[in-house]
Structure formats: structure tokens, C-alpha cells
Amino acid sequence: NFHLFKNQFDLVNNKYKLNQQLIPYFISSHPDCELEDMAHLAVETKDMGFKLEQVQDFTPTPMTLATDIYYSGYHPYTMKPIHTPKTKKEKLEQHRFFFWYKKENQVWIKNVLEKISRPDLLKKLLPGFVNSSKMKHQKKKQNDAKKFSKSKNQ
């Protein structure tokens, strides 16, 4: 498993005072992957200390199960329909999660994770945004309460 490999890599690197880097290879927009899957993977890579610089977009390759699913939209063994991100927008959205540390992606990531009700992933990926989201939500509740009490008193 990759976690064990990385631990061993880090141990050897530290023991022998090597300055070697481990560069993982990840693919976004793979058949049956959703935004939530990319958020999970982004959290996992962040927890492992990675700030990815490159991520491959899924490319169909001959004679693979994933390519069959990509083109047909079905898993050939179960005939279950499988969604595959194909539009430029879908592919970009999946890709953006891997670059959580870039400012231009952070508000978008926050909004997506709030929309899919995953504050746990938001807290792990962008902890600074959790507090600002809570404060905005509390202010909205306070404003709504004030509006309600004003309309009730009139």
C-alpha cells in the first residue's frame, strides 16, 4: 500500500540524509469518480505531506476496462451505468481539488464541499475556511432573526 511505501521511503531518506523526493502519480476524471472522491484523495495527499504539482487527466488507452467504461458508459461485467467526467468543466472541477493550496481554487472548493454537505473534508483540506463559513452562517442566522423580529413587531 502507498502509505507503507511512503513511510519506508521517508525512513530511508532520513536515515541516510538523502534529499530524495517521492512524486506520486494521480489521475483525475477516471470513470466513476465524483467530486467527493477527488476531495477525499486531496485530503489524503495533503495528510501525507504532498502539494501536488501535476495530475494527469484520465486518457482512454486501448484494451483497458476503464476505456471500455469511458466509451460505453457501462461497466461491462455488471452492465451498471457508470458516469465518467467528459466535459471540459467536469474535468477541470475534478482536477482543481488536487491543487487545494492555490488561492484561486480555495473558494470554489469551499463552495463545492458545502454544497455536497462535507464540512469534514473542508475542515481537513482548508481549515481556515471552516471558521469563516461558520461566521458567515451565524451572521446570516442573526440577520434572519432580526428581520423576523422586526416583521413580527410591526
Side-chain angles (χ1 to χ4, degrees):
N1 119 358
F2 186 69
H3 292 276
L4 292 174
F5 175 76
K6 182 177 183 321
N7 288 340
Q8 289 296 312
F9 180 88
D10 290 344
L11 286 172
V12 170
N13 216 11
N14 291 332
K15 180 178 178 179
Y16 296 103
K17 297 183 181 5
L18 302 173
N19 192 21
Q20 301 297 310
Q21 291 184 338
L22 183 62
I23 301 174
Y25 181 77
F26 287 103
I27 299 175
S28 62
S29 308
H30 199 275
D32 208 23
C33 283
E34 302 293 336
L35 291 175
E36 189 172 347
D37 300 316
M38 297 297 104
H40 275 286
L41 192 52
V43 166
E44 194 166 344
T45 58
K46 181 183 179 187
D47 286 347
M48 293 173 70
F50 290 111
K51 275 190 175 180
L52 301 179
E53 295 178 20
Q54 54 190 356
V55 175
Q56 174 71 43
D57 187 41
F58 175 76
T59 303
T61 53
M63 300 178 67
T64 63
L65 184 61
T67 296
D68 191 18
I69 294 169
Y70 177 86
Y71 285 110
S72 71
Y74 292 92
H75 192 290
Y77 302 153
T78 64
M79 294 312 292
K80 175 184 157 202
I82 302 289
H83 173 74
T84 299
K86 289 185 180 178
T87 68
K88 185 176 180 178
K89 180 181 182 283
E90 286 178 306
K91 289 173 175 264
L92 177 63
E93 286 176 347
Q94 289 214 359
H95 201 254
R96 289 176 88 173
F97 275 103
F98 289 102
F99 303 98
W100 53 268
Y101 57 89
K102 292 186 175 185
K103 290 206 182 291
E104 63 265 23
N105 293 330
Q106 292 178 348
V107 171
W108 178 86
I109 289 171
K110 176 189 86 67
N111 292 339
V112 169
L113 293 177
E114 286 176 343
K115 184 177 178 181
I116 64 173
S117 301
R118 291 307 307 261
D120 57 319
L121 294 175
L122 177 59
K123 184 178 180 180
K124 291 177 182 176
L125 203 54
L126 301 170
F129 276 86
V130 173
N131 294 334
S132 67
S133 283
K134 283 181 183 177
M135 289 188 327
K136 284 179 186 176
H137 182 69
Q138 287 171 342
K139 282 183 182 179
K140 184 180 180 331
K141 282 177 97 176
Q142 288 170 350
N143 288 339
D144 290 348
K146 285 178 186 176
K147 287 177 188 176
F148 178 74
S149 68
K150 280 183 184 179
S151 68
K152 193 174 177 183
N153 292 334
Q154 290 178 355

